[in-house]
Amino acid sequence: MAELSDPPVAGRGRPRSKNAHRAILEATRQLLEERGFVDLTIEEVAQRASVGKATIYRHWPTKGTLVFESFTVQFLAQQPLPDTGSLRGDLLASLRAWIRNVKGTVTGRTLVGLIAEVQRDPELAELWRDHFVVPVRAQHRLMIERAIERHEISSKTDVDVTLDLVFGAAYHRLLQSHLPLSDRFAQSVVDTIVGGLASEVERSPTHR
Amino acid sequence: MAELSDPPVAGRGRPRSKNAHRAILEATRQLLEERGFVDLTIEEVAQRASVGKATIYRHWPTKGTLVFESFTVQFLAQQPLPDTGSLRGDLLASLRAWIRNVKGTVTGRTLVGLIAEVQRDPELAELWRDHFVVPVRAQHRLMIERAIERHEISSKTDVDVTLDLVFGAAYHRLLQSHLPLSDRFAQSVVDTIVGGLASEVERSPTHR
DNA sequence: TAATTACGAAACGATACGTATCGTATCATA
DNA sequence: TATGATACGATACGTATCGTTTCGTAATTA
């Protein structure tokens, strides 16, 4: 994670200002809260940070990458890796934490804005997959793998599909906002999936 | 569906030109294919359709609503309502049709562009929910309700959550493009969900 | 000390938006 | 048949935002 912005190239010349870097990220954070992703402009970030616009572009190529760096720090810090002893408990705790983190929050609105932006900017999309989707999934994946080790679910379980079911449903409600991200929703999602995985154990009792 | 664009107000004055209306939609269709949602401009649509820019704005308030009308006709015509006799068969046929419709197609790219736009434009979001999400879900809902009537799954099944699981996972892969929308994916999604719903019948055998 | 690079400030060209205005065309109504 | 209302195509316009460039100055290395 450390450096998403262009790293200060060691060498000759005046070095990149860490103050400017910090001030830009802080101004971004503030303006995301005040205006949201869509109405945030690089121009205003520069003003707020008392920084030339060119300095921002020297560190980040696009608004998307800047907001992304400001966002991920915040987001990843709030995604726990629960260990309750059961798959149901882990998935439910994880999904509840995700909902708490995004529902009605600046983080949630920024997440939505970034996902929208990712669909319009292929370079940001790559950054997004490599430095957000993949790391978050790697962490979530552990919950499933532990359940497999406990022989709670089949070793043939498709881990990726399981994650897509749990969080795909959640992202779906976040992006389509057709129905609320209620706790009833979280429970129902997890219960159905865990039930489905358990039934696969019964059908193919090949786990030792 | 019929009229998403501002309907020609019956009354005095010169009526809206149906030719212009058709030409605009056709030019939009072409340019979506050539340029994609992001790079489609109203200016070019006007040129291509041999129409004044103002005429477009007279019919549709934004680029989003214009593309939306061009899109939905295409999309909804290709979403079948399967009736295979089993929930598994229906869901799988439906999900496969969805994947065929969006994977590597102009329709799919436009769908992605529209979902992104919906996150930036609250008015389009309302249109999207009322004239896309709700109708599509209403159709898909029938598959679940028929399974309930057949006593294949519990009458207590949360229909909305079930739909969010099936298509939420699919939209997730479409938007995050972390993994392919393979047929293996479709089967695994449906099997897990159907297994989960069936296990709920066993746990609460209250269906008559 | 000279070369090099970043700094803040500001002007710039480019693009696309959505609106306004022009003169013309087509309708309902009187 | 005449009048008023509205849409038409064409085009000019002002605004917003972008990302780049230029300026003189500051910081660092060779």
Side-chain angles (χ1 to χ4, degrees):
Chain A
M1 183 55 44
E3 285 305 325
L4 294 172
S5 41
D6 285 353
V9 182
R12 288 229 275 271
R14 179 174 176 172
R16 298 271 173 90
S17 162
K18 292 213 165 190
N19 277 342
H21 194 274
R22 263 197 306 271
I24 292 167
L25 281 176
E26 171 59 18
T28 302
R29 199 195 56 70
Q30 287 177 20
L31 288 169
L32 278 176
E33 188 164 343
E34 297 173 24
R35 310 229 178 289
F37 184 93
V38 174
D39 296 327
L40 175 144
T41 66
I42 298 283
E43 202 111 17
E44 201 175 3
V45 172
Q47 280 187 333
R48 181 72 62 99
S50 300
V51 145
K53 234 195 328 177
T55 299
I56 297 180
Y57 284 106
R58 219 171 275 125
H59 291 243
W60 295 272
T62 61
K63 164 173 150 181
T65 52
L66 170 59
V67 171
F68 175 64
E69 179 157 346
S70 164
F71 165 81
T72 40
V73 177
Q74 197 77 3
F75 185 89
L76 295 178
Q78 296 181 5
Q79 280 304 97
L81 210 191
D83 193 357
T84 63
S86 77
L87 179 60
R88 185 182 184 282
D90 285 359
L91 289 180
L92 195 52
S94 176
L95 183 52
R96 279 172 165 158
W98 185 90
I99 290 174
R100 208 180 314 118
N101 200 1
V102 305
K103 186 179 175 181
T105 65
V106 175
T107 300
R109 285 188 292 278
T110 306
L111 174 59
V112 167
L114 275 170
I115 291 176
E117 193 70 8
V118 158
Q119 313 305 325
R120 333 171 105 247
D121 178 351
E123 295 199 19
L124 181 62
E126 196 182 334
L127 195 64
W128 182 252
R129 272 193 297 277
D130 295 348
H131 292 89
F132 182 79
V133 178
V134 168
V136 169
R137 284 180 76 89
Q139 178 164 323
H140 287 158
R141 175 182 297 272
L142 297 176
M143 295 185 293
I144 320 289
E145 291 172 346
R146 281 191 312 227
I148 293 176
E149 285 169 20
R150 283 193 300 264
H151 306 303
E152 195 179 346
I153 57 177
S154 164
S155 64
K156 293 205 184 69
T157 301
D158 190 323
V159 179
D160 283 311
V161 166
T162 307
L163 292 179
D164 288 334
L165 284 169
V166 178
F167 292 97
Y171 275 93
H172 199 50
R173 290 214 170 176
L174 179 70
L175 293 172
Q176 311 283 347
S177 50
H178 53 299
L179 287 168
L181 285 161
S182 61
D183 195 68
R184 177 172 157 66
F185 163 78
Q187 292 182 47
S188 187
V189 162
V190 170
D191 282 340
T192 303
I193 295 168
V194 171
L197 296 180
S199 75
E200 285 170 15
V201 176
E202 294 156 20
R203 262 184 269 123
S204 60
T206 30
H207 66 285
R208 41 160 292 107
Chain B
M1 180 55 42
E3 285 305 325
L4 294 171
S5 43
D6 285 354
V9 182
R12 291 228 273 269
R14 180 175 175 173
R16 296 273 174 88
S17 161
K18 291 214 164 192
N19 276 343
H21 195 273
R22 261 198 307 271
I24 292 167
L25 281 176
E26 172 58 19
T28 301
R29 198 196 57 69
Q30 286 178 19
L31 289 170
L32 277 176
E33 188 164 343
E34 296 173 24
R35 308 230 179 290
F37 183 94
V38 175
D39 296 327
L40 175 145
T41 66
I42 298 284
E43 202 111 18
E44 202 175 1
V45 173
Q47 281 188 333
R48 182 74 62 100
S50 302
V51 144
K53 234 196 326 177
T55 299
I56 298 180
Y57 284 107
R58 221 172 273 124
H59 291 242
W60 296 273
T62 62
K63 166 173 150 181
T65 52
L66 169 59
V67 171
F68 176 63
E69 180 156 346
S70 165
F71 164 81
T72 41
V73 178
Q74 198 78 3
F75 184 89
L76 294 180
Q78 295 180 7
Q79 280 305 99
L81 209 193
D83 192 358
T84 63
S86 76
L87 179 60
R88 184 182 183 283
D90 285 359
L91 289 180
L92 194 52
S94 175
L95 182 53
R96 277 172 166 160
W98 186 90
I99 290 175
R100 208 179 316 119
N101 200 0
V102 304
K103 186 178 176 182
T105 65
V106 175
T107 301
R109 285 189 292 279
T110 306
L111 174 60
V112 166
L114 275 170
I115 292 177
E117 192 69 8
V118 157
Q119 314 304 324
R120 328 170 37 96
D121 178 351
E123 294 198 21
L124 180 61
E126 197 182 332
L127 195 64
W128 182 252
R129 272 192 298 277
D130 294 350
H131 291 89
F132 182 78
V133 178
V134 168
V136 170
R137 285 179 75 89
Q139 177 164 324
H140 287 158
R141 176 182 297 270
L142 297 177
M143 294 185 293
I144 320 289
E145 291 172 347
R146 281 192 310 227
I148 293 177
E149 287 168 19
R150 285 193 299 264
H151 306 302
E152 194 178 348
I153 57 177
S154 163
S155 62
K156 292 204 184 71
T157 301
D158 190 323
V159 178
D160 283 309
V161 166
T162 306
L163 293 179
D164 289 334
L165 284 169
V166 179
F167 291 98
Y171 275 94
H172 199 50
R173 289 214 171 177
L174 178 70
L175 293 172
Q176 311 283 344
S177 50
H178 55 298
L179 287 168
L181 285 162
S182 61
D183 195 67
R184 178 173 156 67
F185 163 78
Q187 292 182 48
S188 187
V189 161
V190 170
D191 282 340
T192 303
I193 294 168
V194 172
L197 296 180
S199 77
E200 285 170 13
V201 176
E202 293 157 20
R203 263 186 268 123
S204 59
T206 30
H207 67 284
R208 39 162 290 109

